Short mmCIF file of all heavy atoms in Angstrom, two decimals:
data_model
loop_
_atom_site.label_atom_id
_atom_site.label_comp_id
_atom_site.label_asym_id
_atom_site.label_seq_id
_atom_site.Cartn_x
_atom_site.Cartn_y
_atom_site.Cartn_z
N ASP A 138 79.65 90.70 122.00
CA ASP A 138 80.84 90.39 122.81
C ASP A 138 81.37 88.99 122.48
O ASP A 138 82.59 88.77 122.48
CB ASP A 138 80.52 90.49 124.30
CG ASP A 138 80.34 91.92 124.77
OD1 ASP A 138 80.73 92.84 124.03
OD2 ASP A 138 79.78 92.11 125.87
N LEU A 139 80.47 88.04 122.21
CA LEU A 139 80.91 86.69 121.85
C LEU A 139 81.68 86.69 120.55
O LEU A 139 82.69 86.01 120.41
CB LEU A 139 79.69 85.76 121.74
CG LEU A 139 79.06 85.28 123.04
CD1 LEU A 139 77.77 84.53 122.73
CD2 LEU A 139 80.03 84.40 123.82
N ILE A 140 81.20 87.46 119.57
CA ILE A 140 81.91 87.54 118.29
C ILE A 140 83.25 88.23 118.47
O ILE A 140 84.26 87.83 117.86
CB ILE A 140 81.04 88.25 117.25
CG1 ILE A 140 79.84 87.36 116.90
CG2 ILE A 140 81.84 88.58 115.99
CD1 ILE A 140 78.87 87.94 115.91
N ALA A 141 83.30 89.24 119.34
CA ALA A 141 84.57 89.90 119.62
C ALA A 141 85.55 88.92 120.27
O ALA A 141 86.75 88.91 119.95
CB ALA A 141 84.35 91.11 120.53
N ALA A 142 85.04 88.08 121.18
CA ALA A 142 85.90 87.09 121.84
C ALA A 142 86.38 86.05 120.84
O ALA A 142 87.55 85.62 120.90
CB ALA A 142 85.14 86.42 122.98
N LEU A 143 85.52 85.65 119.92
CA LEU A 143 85.92 84.71 118.86
C LEU A 143 87.02 85.32 118.00
O LEU A 143 88.01 84.65 117.67
CB LEU A 143 84.70 84.36 118.00
CG LEU A 143 84.96 83.53 116.75
CD1 LEU A 143 85.49 82.14 117.12
CD2 LEU A 143 83.68 83.41 115.92
N THR A 144 86.86 86.58 117.65
CA THR A 144 87.87 87.28 116.86
C THR A 144 89.21 87.29 117.58
O THR A 144 90.26 86.99 116.98
CB THR A 144 87.40 88.72 116.58
OG1 THR A 144 86.19 88.70 115.82
CG2 THR A 144 88.46 89.51 115.83
N GLU A 145 89.19 87.60 118.87
CA GLU A 145 90.42 87.63 119.65
C GLU A 145 91.08 86.25 119.70
O GLU A 145 92.31 86.13 119.67
CB GLU A 145 90.13 88.13 121.06
CG GLU A 145 89.73 89.61 121.12
CD GLU A 145 89.38 90.05 122.52
OE1 GLU A 145 89.56 89.24 123.46
OE2 GLU A 145 88.93 91.20 122.68
N ARG A 146 90.26 85.23 119.77
CA ARG A 146 90.80 83.86 119.85
C ARG A 146 91.50 83.48 118.54
O ARG A 146 92.60 82.90 118.56
CB ARG A 146 89.68 82.87 120.14
CG ARG A 146 90.13 81.43 120.23
CD ARG A 146 89.01 80.57 120.73
NE ARG A 146 89.40 79.17 120.82
CZ ARG A 146 88.63 78.21 121.33
NH1 ARG A 146 87.45 78.52 121.82
NH2 ARG A 146 89.04 76.98 121.37
N VAL A 147 90.88 83.81 117.41
CA VAL A 147 91.49 83.51 116.12
C VAL A 147 92.82 84.24 115.98
O VAL A 147 93.83 83.65 115.57
CB VAL A 147 90.54 83.88 114.97
CG1 VAL A 147 91.25 83.78 113.62
CG2 VAL A 147 89.30 82.99 114.98
N VAL A 148 92.82 85.52 116.32
CA VAL A 148 94.05 86.31 116.24
C VAL A 148 95.11 85.78 117.20
O VAL A 148 96.29 85.68 116.86
CB VAL A 148 93.74 87.79 116.52
CG1 VAL A 148 95.02 88.60 116.70
CG2 VAL A 148 92.90 88.38 115.40
N GLY A 149 94.67 85.41 118.40
CA GLY A 149 95.61 84.88 119.39
C GLY A 149 96.24 83.57 118.96
O GLY A 149 97.37 83.25 119.36
N ASP A 150 95.53 82.82 118.13
CA ASP A 150 96.06 81.55 117.61
C ASP A 150 96.96 81.76 116.39
O ASP A 150 97.42 80.78 115.79
CB ASP A 150 94.91 80.62 117.21
CG ASP A 150 94.20 80.01 118.42
OD1 ASP A 150 94.77 80.07 119.53
OD2 ASP A 150 93.09 79.47 118.25
N GLY A 151 97.18 83.01 116.00
CA GLY A 151 98.03 83.29 114.85
C GLY A 151 97.29 83.35 113.54
O GLY A 151 97.90 83.38 112.47
N GLY A 152 95.95 83.37 113.61
CA GLY A 152 95.15 83.49 112.40
C GLY A 152 94.87 84.94 112.07
O GLY A 152 95.49 85.85 112.62
N GLY A 153 93.92 85.15 111.16
CA GLY A 153 93.57 86.50 110.76
C GLY A 153 92.07 86.63 110.55
O GLY A 153 91.37 85.63 110.38
N VAL A 154 91.59 87.87 110.57
CA VAL A 154 90.17 88.14 110.48
C VAL A 154 89.92 89.22 109.43
O VAL A 154 90.63 90.23 109.39
CB VAL A 154 89.60 88.61 111.84
CG1 VAL A 154 88.10 88.88 111.73
CG2 VAL A 154 89.88 87.57 112.92
N VAL A 155 88.91 89.00 108.60
CA VAL A 155 88.43 90.02 107.68
C VAL A 155 86.97 90.27 108.02
O VAL A 155 86.15 89.34 108.00
CB VAL A 155 88.55 89.60 106.21
CG1 VAL A 155 88.02 90.70 105.29
CG2 VAL A 155 90.00 89.26 105.86
N THR A 156 86.62 91.51 108.35
CA THR A 156 85.26 91.84 108.71
C THR A 156 84.76 92.97 107.81
O THR A 156 85.46 93.97 107.62
CB THR A 156 85.14 92.23 110.21
OG1 THR A 156 83.80 92.62 110.51
CG2 THR A 156 86.10 93.34 110.57
N VAL A 157 83.59 92.79 107.23
CA VAL A 157 83.05 93.81 106.34
C VAL A 157 81.80 94.41 106.95
O VAL A 157 81.02 93.74 107.64
CB VAL A 157 82.74 93.26 104.93
CG1 VAL A 157 83.95 92.60 104.31
CG2 VAL A 157 81.57 92.30 104.96
N SER A 158 81.61 95.69 106.70
CA SER A 158 80.48 96.42 107.26
C SER A 158 80.30 97.72 106.49
O SER A 158 81.24 98.23 105.89
CB SER A 158 80.71 96.71 108.75
OG SER A 158 79.68 97.52 109.28
N HIS A 159 79.08 98.24 106.53
CA HIS A 159 78.85 99.58 105.98
C HIS A 159 79.23 100.65 106.99
O HIS A 159 79.33 101.82 106.66
CB HIS A 159 77.37 99.75 105.59
CG HIS A 159 76.46 99.68 106.77
ND1 HIS A 159 76.03 98.47 107.30
CD2 HIS A 159 75.92 100.65 107.55
CE1 HIS A 159 75.25 98.72 108.35
NE2 HIS A 159 75.17 100.02 108.52
N ASP A 160 79.49 100.22 108.26
CA ASP A 160 79.78 101.15 109.35
C ASP A 160 81.30 101.33 109.49
O ASP A 160 81.96 100.61 110.22
CB ASP A 160 79.19 100.61 110.65
CG ASP A 160 79.24 101.61 111.80
OD1 ASP A 160 80.03 102.57 111.71
OD2 ASP A 160 78.49 101.43 112.77
N GLN A 161 81.83 102.31 108.80
CA GLN A 161 83.28 102.53 108.79
C GLN A 161 83.81 102.93 110.16
O GLN A 161 84.91 102.55 110.55
CB GLN A 161 83.64 103.60 107.76
CG GLN A 161 85.14 103.73 107.51
CD GLN A 161 85.44 104.57 106.29
OE1 GLN A 161 84.75 104.46 105.27
NE2 GLN A 161 86.45 105.40 106.39
N ALA A 162 83.01 103.68 110.92
CA ALA A 162 83.46 104.12 112.25
C ALA A 162 83.66 102.94 113.18
O ALA A 162 84.65 102.88 113.93
CB ALA A 162 82.45 105.11 112.83
N ARG A 163 82.73 101.98 113.16
CA ARG A 163 82.87 100.79 114.02
C ARG A 163 84.08 99.97 113.61
O ARG A 163 84.80 99.45 114.47
CB ARG A 163 81.60 99.94 113.94
CG ARG A 163 81.69 98.65 114.75
CD ARG A 163 80.36 97.93 114.78
NE ARG A 163 79.38 98.64 115.59
CZ ARG A 163 78.13 98.21 115.79
NH1 ARG A 163 77.72 97.08 115.22
NH2 ARG A 163 77.30 98.89 116.55
N LEU A 164 84.32 99.85 112.32
CA LEU A 164 85.50 99.11 111.86
C LEU A 164 86.78 99.77 112.34
O LEU A 164 87.72 99.09 112.75
CB LEU A 164 85.50 99.03 110.34
CG LEU A 164 84.42 98.16 109.68
CD1 LEU A 164 84.54 98.23 108.17
CD2 LEU A 164 84.49 96.72 110.16
N ALA A 165 86.81 101.09 112.30
CA ALA A 165 88.02 101.82 112.71
C ALA A 165 88.34 101.55 114.18
O ALA A 165 89.52 101.53 114.58
CB ALA A 165 87.83 103.30 112.47
N GLU A 166 87.31 101.32 114.99
CA GLU A 166 87.51 101.07 116.42
C GLU A 166 88.04 99.67 116.69
O GLU A 166 88.79 99.46 117.65
CB GLU A 166 86.19 101.26 117.17
CG GLU A 166 85.69 102.70 117.19
CD GLU A 166 84.33 102.80 117.88
OE1 GLU A 166 83.79 101.73 118.27
OE2 GLU A 166 83.82 103.91 118.02
N SER A 167 87.67 98.70 115.87
CA SER A 167 87.94 97.30 116.19
C SER A 167 89.01 96.63 115.32
O SER A 167 89.43 95.51 115.62
CB SER A 167 86.65 96.48 116.09
OG SER A 167 86.09 96.56 114.79
N CYS A 168 89.44 97.31 114.25
CA CYS A 168 90.36 96.68 113.30
C CYS A 168 91.74 97.33 113.31
O CYS A 168 91.88 98.50 113.65
CB CYS A 168 89.78 96.76 111.88
SG CYS A 168 88.19 95.94 111.72
N ASP A 169 92.73 96.55 112.92
CA ASP A 169 94.09 97.09 112.82
C ASP A 169 94.21 98.03 111.63
O ASP A 169 94.89 99.05 111.71
CB ASP A 169 95.09 95.93 112.65
CG ASP A 169 95.08 94.99 113.84
OD1 ASP A 169 95.14 95.47 114.98
OD2 ASP A 169 94.98 93.77 113.63
N ASN A 170 93.57 97.67 110.54
CA ASN A 170 93.55 98.50 109.33
C ASN A 170 92.17 98.43 108.71
O ASN A 170 91.46 97.44 108.88
CB ASN A 170 94.59 98.03 108.30
CG ASN A 170 96.01 98.10 108.81
OD1 ASN A 170 96.56 97.10 109.24
ND2 ASN A 170 96.59 99.28 108.78
N THR A 171 91.79 99.48 108.00
CA THR A 171 90.52 99.47 107.30
C THR A 171 90.73 99.86 105.84
O THR A 171 91.61 100.65 105.51
CB THR A 171 89.50 100.43 107.94
OG1 THR A 171 90.02 101.76 107.93
CG2 THR A 171 89.21 100.02 109.38
N MET A 172 89.88 99.27 105.00
CA MET A 172 89.90 99.58 103.58
C MET A 172 88.48 99.90 103.13
O MET A 172 87.50 99.48 103.75
CB MET A 172 90.46 98.41 102.78
CG MET A 172 91.84 97.95 103.23
SD MET A 172 92.57 96.68 102.16
CE MET A 172 93.16 97.70 100.80
N SER A 173 88.38 100.64 102.06
CA SER A 173 87.08 101.02 101.52
C SER A 173 86.91 100.43 100.13
O SER A 173 87.82 100.52 99.29
CB SER A 173 86.97 102.55 101.46
OG SER A 173 85.75 102.94 100.87
N LEU A 174 85.75 99.83 99.89
CA LEU A 174 85.44 99.24 98.60
C LEU A 174 84.38 100.10 97.93
O LEU A 174 83.25 100.24 98.41
CB LEU A 174 84.94 97.81 98.77
CG LEU A 174 84.78 96.93 97.53
CD1 LEU A 174 86.09 96.84 96.76
CD2 LEU A 174 84.32 95.54 97.94
N THR A 175 84.77 100.73 96.83
CA THR A 175 83.86 101.65 96.12
C THR A 175 83.87 101.30 94.63
O THR A 175 84.92 101.31 94.01
CB THR A 175 84.31 103.10 96.31
OG1 THR A 175 84.42 103.40 97.70
CG2 THR A 175 83.31 104.07 95.67
N GLU A 176 82.69 100.97 94.11
CA GLU A 176 82.55 100.62 92.70
C GLU A 176 83.55 99.57 92.28
O GLU A 176 84.18 99.65 91.21
CB GLU A 176 82.65 101.87 91.82
CG GLU A 176 81.52 102.88 92.08
CD GLU A 176 81.61 104.09 91.17
OE1 GLU A 176 82.64 104.24 90.49
OE2 GLU A 176 80.64 104.86 91.14
N GLY A 177 83.76 98.59 93.16
CA GLY A 177 84.62 97.46 92.84
C GLY A 177 86.10 97.68 93.06
O GLY A 177 86.89 96.77 92.81
#
C-alpha cells in the first residue's frame, strides 16, 4: 500500500511511473497501459 501511495503521489505531481513484473494480471489492474517484453 505504501508503494501504491508513492506511485499515486508521483503521478499526482505530474510525473510518470514505469513498473515491471512477471505478473501481467497485477499490472493490468494497476497500470494505465501494459506492454510485454519478449526476446528483447
